[in-house]
Amino acid sequence: MSLEVTELDVAPTQTVQAQQRLRELIVSGALPPGERILEVPLAERLGVSRTPVRAALLRLEQEGLLEAAGAGGGYRVRQFSEQDLRDAIELRGTLEGLAARMAAERGVDEALLALARRHLDAIDAALDAPTLAEPGFAAYVRHNGGFHALLGRMSGSELLQRELARASLLPFASPSGFLGVQVGAPAGQAVLRIAQDQHRQVLDAIEQREGSRAEALMREHARIARRRLETALRQPGGLRPLQAAVAPFNAHGGHPHESQ
């Protein structure tokens, strides 16, 4: 079956923004564990319509950050620890490293490689802007997620694809789950450029059939997010300083703060 260019369009911009803002509120503690979240008040708080909020709530429930509130509807914020975040990111990196190695060792269909290149070209275009403002940030999220999703397919293993899908539903383990912290931190856009360079190196290793190199690069790639998390957690108050660090879009629909 041929791959259409439309596969690059994997998430609407407003939904991506709502997901990122809601993640920020949860991880910062602004929405604490047990807090009940209703669609209409949240849409008003984020300054967006109900449709992207509805999609964002569903996605974050799938990721394990929210759970159904039961009687009366809505969602509640789930309890998770700092160690949960570390472990989830590490697990995804391990599985993606295995996927990259298997892809290199088994070989990948040219149509999948071409689609991966188009995702990376789109990321380059987003990062060429002086600042990663809307809609560039949403484009980065879409195509970053698209590239990572291809790794499972390139491995040729349906079993590994299923395990990657399960791991990506853990809190903050999705490829874009921690992007807000990376973008909002000092020199955050430079960090994303490093990550993009690693994308290119991983794809090159896969094409060159260098399994060990592809695996090592992918494991290190996941650790970028973990190092950002560790930096934030070393600040007084643990998770709470993330609220200040994470600001690709503020709660009223503004643009990212530029680094000083």
Side-chain angles (χ1 to χ4, degrees), residues 213-231:
R213 175 174 166 240
E215 180 174 22
L217 284 166
M218 207 65 232
R219 292 284 299 272
E220 180 59 27
H221 179 70
R223 291 190 182 111
I224 288 181
R226 178 166 176 170
R227 285 197 293 271
R228 282 293 175 191
L229 172 64
E230 297 286 352
T231 298

Side-chain angles (χ1 to χ4, degrees), residues 62-144:
Q62 293 170 342
E63 290 183 10
L65 293 179
L66 301 175
E67 59 189 358
Y75 296 86
R76 292 191 189 279
V77 178
R78 293 184 60 181
Q79 177 74 48
F80 58 91
S81 68
E82 297 173 2
Q83 190 61 52
D84 289 336
L85 301 184
R86 296 188 186 96
D87 292 348
I89 294 169
E90 186 69 20
L91 177 59
R92 178 174 63 83
T94 299
L95 291 174
E96 287 190 332
L98 176 58
R101 177 168 65 81
M102 292 172 68
E105 292 175 350
R106 295 178 177 183
V108 179
D109 182 82
E110 177 56 33
L112 281 178
L113 292 173
L115 181 57
R117 293 187 201 104
R118 293 201 294 274
H119 278 301
L120 297 187
D121 288 345
I123 292 174
D124 282 337
L127 292 178
D128 280 344
T131 59
L132 199 58
E134 180 186 350
F137 178 76
Y140 186 100
V141 169
R142 288 199 304 274
H143 296 292
N144 179 64

Side-chain angles (χ1 to χ4, degrees), residues 39 41 43 47 60 66 104 114 131-132 141 148 157 162 167 173 199 202 229 247:
E39 187 178 300
L60 267 61
L66 301 175
T131 59
L132 199 58
V141 169
H148 281 261
S157 169
R162 289 195 298 269
H199 288 153
V202 167
L229 172 64

Side-chain angles (χ1 to χ4, degrees), residues 113 116-117 120 147 154 199-207:
L113 292 173
R117 293 187 201 104
L120 297 187
F147 176 79
M154 288 193 290
H199 288 153
R200 292 287 188 186
Q201 292 185 57
V202 167
L203 188 59
D204 178 71
I206 290 172
E207 293 187 82

